[in-house]
Amino acid sequence: MSTDADIARPQDTSVRIIDADVHNTVGDLTPYLPKVWHERWQRAGLGVGAIHYGNPRGVARRDADPPDGGTPASDPAFLVEDHVRRHAIDYVIFTGAHVIPMGPDPDYGNALAAAHNNCLAEEWLPLSEQFRGSILVNSEDPPAAAAEIRRMGTHPDMVQALMCGPSRAPYGQRQYHPIYEAAVEVGIPVAIHPGTEGSGLAWQPTPVGYPTRYMEWHNILPITFMSQINSLVCEGVFERFPTLTFIGIEGGIGWLVHLMWRMDKNFKALRDTTPWLKRLPSEYIRDHVRLTTQPMEEPERPHQLQQMMEMVHADRTVMFSSDYPHWDGDDPKMALRHMDRDLKHRILAGTAGEVYGLTTKPSTEYAAHPVTRPRSGADQPLSAVE
Amino acid sequence: MTRHRVGMVQDLERSHPLIVSVNGAEIGIYRVRGELVAWRNICPHQGVQVCKGRIAGTRLPSDVYEYAYGRDGEILQCPLHGWEFDLTTGQHLSPGSTARLRRFPVEVDGDAIYIHTRTYSGG
């Protein structure tokens, strides 16, 4: 006679959910910065001047304040309770409160990147096997960004290099290749994240000028992603670095099919202008570009989401992200509810597991550890505008 | 096959390509590497008269940021869009494309040029 124990299902060891965009707010960077930068950091923060676009209601969701009143996602224990455990997430990929913006002083940008990365590695990553980090880099100083990738890339819990979406020139151009060379060397992908479009030395957020308000700015963020992916493919970055993966975080998805079809059509006519491309542009995209889901498009007819996902080969190109704790975040169950089961699994964990090397279930133990809490004010003047 | 006399080799000296009509189908006759080839004057992409296109060379497949010009006189650029076709094979040069021009057998007998077409067997 069988008992409940006999027929109990073996413990599920497969990774179910990887969240590819969680904005943890690391502590004050002062202890991690050389003394020479302390005053600037405390007075000017990221130092890119005025932010043109901010959510008038604030960027953080209103239900994610830690119990002690700190900034949302600044308390790792509460982040685990409020987000990781609530949604049974296996791994979270931390993307920090902000990317390194395009500021005028490359030395300062480089110092900020290194300080953030050291702080993340010391104060956050040791707390849980479920935590994984992004190496922030100052993309406008490519040799320095490459050096930072090599410095931090050997850390076992750092799973990608992360840079701001906008750039002085399209990211596929040769001056940025040292970044990709370093990433390939240490075996991690390179990601971009919005937020600094129009800030600091960045160009206007659109080729037609400055949008009037935050919503307009946010609506059109995909233009940056289209521009960068277009450049990366046409400049032959994926021919030169055939093992490189490029990740577009929080830039939308639906436009990818248009970009792929348009690029393929033009390539059939203008192939000789990029004679180094040996395949259709869309094939490079399918093999090398990954996008994250949030903010998930919500079509008038929900079933069209599945169609759109099929058009972009989402089983290979799309990874789930929540954007916790931001105002426009997505719930893993709700955002994907109109998709079929196999595709949902690929998006929730399959592709991200391959991209980040996270294919075994982690321990869910959390090691309580004192952390330095961020102060309000100068340490996060550009935090989380997206 | 049916053999159609469509012109003289001297005509090809005066007009290259030589555009002829066989059973209502326009055909462009080219001399490539000393040999004659004949292609239907329709682009498989959007149906324009492909033989109005420029005869050119191309940038050969190369490493990133390297440029190698070659195949001068062997490439036909469609006048609309610029799709490149290999005049020796009819193949569209784009990787990932299976498009090709429709070929007609061509023959020189004496000084005369002949196009061969399939004989309609009726039914």
Side-chain angles (χ1 to χ4, degrees):
Chain A
M1 186 182 212
S2 64
T3 65
D4 284 354
D6 292 332
I7 60 172
R9 293 166 62 191
Q11 192 173 2
D12 185 1
T13 57
S14 63
V15 175
R16 293 293 184 86
I17 302 180
I18 297 172
D19 185 344
D21 187 19
V22 172
H23 291 286
N24 65 318
T25 298
V26 301
D28 179 17
L29 294 185
T30 304
Y32 297 92
L33 282 166
K35 180 78 176 168
V36 67
W37 299 116
H38 284 190
E39 185 179 14
R40 178 163 181 178
W41 166 249
Q42 289 170 6
R43 287 187 179 277
L46 292 174
V48 294
I51 305 165
H52 300 297
Y53 303 97
N55 187 326
R57 299 188 180 120
V59 74
R61 55 193 292 170
R62 300 291 181 84
D63 57 357
D65 291 344
D68 68 357
T71 308
S74 65
D75 177 344
F78 183 67
L79 188 152
V80 167
E81 175 192 330
D82 188 46
H83 184 60
V84 177
R85 289 185 183 156
R86 181 197 298 274
H87 298 296
I89 292 167
D90 292 300
Y91 290 98
V92 289
I93 313 298
F94 289 135
T95 46
H98 45 70
V99 288
I100 302 299
M102 292 172 58
D105 184 342
D107 293 323
Y108 185 55
N110 297 338
L112 285 179
H116 171 276
N117 299 334
N118 288 342
C119 180
L120 180 69
E122 275 194 33
E123 296 189 12
W124 283 73
L125 298 181
L127 300 179
S128 169
E129 274 187 31
Q130 297 177 278
F131 289 179
R132 290 295 185 274
S134 304
I135 303 168
L136 297 194
V137 298
N138 175 22
S139 52
E140 286 310 314
D141 188 350
E148 183 65 9
I149 290 170
R150 290 190 174 94
R151 184 180 78 86
M152 293 304 297
T154 54
H155 190 294
D157 297 331
M158 289 289 198
V159 293
Q160 69 186 354
L162 178 60
M163 49 194 195
C164 63
S167 51
R168 236 167 261 186
Y171 271 145
Q173 290 188 6
R174 65 193 80 180
Q175 60 268 37
Y176 296 103
H177 290 195
I179 295 173
Y180 312 127
E181 185 177 21
V184 162
E185 191 180 303
V186 302
I188 57 174
V190 175
I192 59 170
H193 190 289
T196 62
E197 284 76 358
S199 296
L201 299 190
W203 304 110
Q204 297 180 3
T206 83
V208 297
Y210 288 93
T212 310
R213 51 191 69 82
Y214 175 78
M215 185 177 78
E216 285 180 56
W217 173 86
H218 197 280
N219 293 342
I220 205 64
L221 288 173
I223 204 170
T224 304
F225 289 68
M226 296 177 76
S227 305
Q228 300 293 22
I229 292 167
N230 182 38
S231 169
L232 288 160
V233 172
C234 292
E235 294 281 344
V237 167
F238 300 120
E239 274 294 328
R240 179 163 277 190
F241 305 104
T243 58
L244 178 67
T245 297
F246 186 84
I247 302 170
I249 302 172
E250 203 175 343
I253 297 167
W255 48 264
L256 187 65
V257 63
H258 166 75
L259 184 66
M260 290 195 295
W261 291 351
R262 189 174 176 98
M263 290 175 79
D264 284 356
K265 174 159 180 166
N266 279 343
F267 179 70
K268 286 174 183 173
L270 297 165
R271 174 215 63 85
D272 65 310
T273 61
T274 53
W276 39 83
L277 297 186
K278 308 299 191 298
R279 296 180 288 152
L280 290 172
S282 64
E283 295 180 54
Y284 290 102
I285 288 173
R286 290 206 296 269
D287 286 349
H288 295 277
V289 173
R290 304 289 176 258
L291 304 178
T292 65
T293 52
Q294 179 281 334
M296 177 68 88
E297 281 103 323
E298 295 176 357
E300 186 181 355
R301 295 175 180 151
H303 71 274
Q304 291 175 337
L305 198 59
Q306 173 86 18
Q307 295 171 342
M308 182 191 86
M309 289 294 184
E310 287 170 5
M311 289 180 208
V312 301
H313 298 259
D315 58 320
R316 300 172 59 195
T317 59
V318 176
M319 311 188 292
F320 170 73
S321 62
S322 73
D323 197 35
Y324 180 87
H326 289 175
W327 68 276
D328 52 343
D330 282 331
D331 179 296
K333 290 183 182 62
M334 296 298 285
L336 305 177
R337 66 190 183 281
H338 297 295
M339 278 171 229
D340 71 42
R341 194 174 155 202
D342 289 344
L343 180 58
K344 201 182 295 187
H345 170 70
R346 290 296 303 163
I347 292 174
L348 282 173
T351 297
E354 293 156 10
V355 167
Y356 295 122
L358 303 175
T359 52
T360 56
K361 222 169 179 62
S363 161
T364 55
E365 279 182 35
Y366 177 77
H369 186 274
V371 295
T372 308
R373 293 293 168 74
R375 298 165 298 103
S376 59
D379 58 335
Q380 38 187 320
L382 192 72
S383 67
V385 292
E386 73 287 356
Chain B
M1 299 289 275
T2 304
R3 194 166 94 146
H4 308 266
R5 178 174 172 148
V6 293
M8 308 295 288
V9 289
Q10 294 84 346
D11 298 331
L12 203 52
E13 305 301 326
R14 289 191 295 272
S15 171
H16 187 244
L18 180 64
I19 306 295
V20 300
S21 182
V22 176
N23 294 341
E26 273 193 10
I27 295 167
I29 300 170
Y30 295 80
R31 186 183 295 279
V32 185
R33 295 185 196 162
E35 301 292 322
L36 295 196
V37 288
W39 304 107
R40 182 150 192 203
N41 191 11
I42 292 178
C43 180
H45 180 209
Q46 291 198 4
V48 301
Q49 292 173 299
V50 67
C51 297
K52 288 186 176 175
R54 178 169 165 260
I55 301 166
T58 190
R59 287 172 175 164
L60 306 174
S62 61
D63 290 336
V64 177
Y65 296 148
E66 290 183 4
Y67 300 89
Y69 183 82
R71 308 207 59 193
D72 201 35
E74 299 178 12
I75 307 300
L76 174 62
Q77 291 176 351
C78 181
L80 181 63
H81 301 107
W83 281 28
E84 296 175 293
F85 293 96
D86 182 337
L87 279 171
T88 65
T89 65
Q91 181 66 47
H92 179 205
L93 289 191
S94 169
S97 173
T98 56
R100 61 170 60 234
L101 301 176
R102 182 176 167 197
R103 182 172 207 145
F104 286 88
V106 59
E107 170 192 22
V108 175
D109 190 349
D111 282 341
I113 301 172
Y114 293 89
I115 294 287
H116 294 263
T117 60
R118 286 205 184 99
T119 305
Y120 178 61
S121 58

